[in-house]
Amino acid sequence: MSIFAKLTRSELRLFLREPVQVFFTLLFPTVLIAILGNIPDFGKPDPALGGARVIDLYVAIAVVFTLGMLGLQVAPLALATYRERGILRRIATTPVRPVTLLGAQLAMNLLIAIASVALVLTVGRLAFDVALPRQAAGFVVAFLLTAGTSFTIGLLVAAIAPSGKTANSIGTFLFFPLMFFAGLWTPREVFPGLLRTISDLSPLGAGERALHAAMTGSWPSWGSLTVLLAYMLVLGIAAARLFRWE
């Protein structure tokens, strides 16, 4: 545990040296909430959204945005770069197992995600009167499953990408359509039937649906949780089979 903690601290220090990554994963979700919350119409109940406010919906979307950025772009870029530069191979010659570095990278990303989500929820509550998750246990479950799914996709990207740049490109290519289905540009609640079904079956769309349900006081639907678990299982097995340490 001492080695794992040291590696996690080291990964965190390396992450904090990258101001662009820090801004988009730790601060931008809150900035997004602050911008949208200051649009007058977004703070009013909308009949098209069942009486909900747009800003209420975007808190869950901002959480998914954080997890998507970390899982699809930050994690695969770091892991593929480590392999490309031979860092994983050299670690294998020491008492530290390469899988320990993998765990430290994921732990660091989870800590950043928790900090970002705490900031989003705090600003949403204090500045725009967005209710904190009414189903706290369901929110934690939805958050962890969405994070696990996002990071599993990132591990698969890192497994198949020959370099850090390629991993970043693949992650970016996946990020935008997955965030579309999570409602970043248009809330899922106004999607037509077929598009909403596709969204419900997409990893980040299912995550947003589960998080939003917990925000409003309901336990996340078992359909959404099953979709997230299925992605984690299938993609996790694929990543484990394809990942190479050198």
Side-chain angles (χ1 to χ4, degrees):
M1 289 301 295
S2 176
I3 294 175
F4 178 79
K6 289 179 180 178
L7 282 174
T8 302
R9 288 197 298 269
S10 176
E11 290 297 311
L12 184 59
R13 286 197 297 269
L14 290 172
F15 174 85
L16 294 175
R17 291 177 184 174
E18 299 291 338
V20 175
Q21 287 186 351
V22 171
F23 174 74
F24 278 102
T25 57
L26 188 59
L27 300 177
F28 181 75
T30 301
V31 172
L32 177 65
I33 293 300
I35 292 172
L36 296 177
N38 280 288
I39 298 175
D41 288 345
F42 284 10
K44 300 176 182 178
D46 189 339
L49 301 175
R53 302 180 304 165
V54 172
I55 188 61
D56 295 328
L57 301 178
Y58 267 95
V59 168
I61 294 170
V63 173
V64 175
F65 180 93
T66 298
L67 297 175
M69 282 290 298
L70 290 168
L72 296 174
Q73 296 191 286
V74 174
L77 171 62
L79 294 173
T81 300
Y82 285 165
R83 184 179 59 232
E84 179 185 11
R85 295 179 178 177
I87 295 174
L88 296 179
R89 183 182 66 250
R90 290 196 293 272
I91 286 180
T93 64
T94 72
V96 181
R97 298 175 60 193
V99 72
T100 307
L101 178 60
L102 174 62
Q105 172 66 209
L106 296 180
M108 180 276 294
N109 279 287
L110 185 60
L111 290 174
I112 295 297
I114 292 172
S116 178
V117 170
L119 193 58
V120 165
L121 294 177
T122 300
V123 171
R125 176 59 179 169
L126 296 179
F128 308 109
D129 198 30
V130 177
L132 295 176
R134 294 188 175 96
Q135 173 52 262
F139 185 86
V140 171
V141 170
F143 171 80
L144 291 175
L145 287 179
T146 306
T149 300
S150 181
F151 293 149
T152 301
I153 297 173
L155 289 176
L156 182 59
V157 171
I160 63 176
S163 67
K165 288 183 178 180
T166 303
N168 183 251
S169 298
I170 296 173
T172 301
F173 178 79
L174 293 174
F175 176 78
F176 287 103
L178 289 179
M179 281 307 306
F180 168 79
F181 287 118
L184 179 60
W185 289 276
T186 303
R188 294 177 60 259
E189 285 70 14
V190 298
F191 282 0
L194 177 60
L195 197 59
R196 184 180 294 193
T197 299
I198 296 173
S199 173
D200 290 343
L201 296 175
S202 69
L204 298 188
E208 194 280 334
R209 182 185 178 192
L211 288 165
H212 178 67
M215 290 286 295
T216 57
S218 302
W219 183 264
S221 73
W222 292 109
S224 298
L225 299 182
T226 300
V227 168
L228 293 170
L229 284 170
Y231 276 112
M232 286 181 61
L233 179 62
V234 174
L235 298 182
I237 292 174
R241 289 181 177 273
L242 295 174
F243 197 89
R244 299 292 180 268
W245 299 109
E246 55 181 297

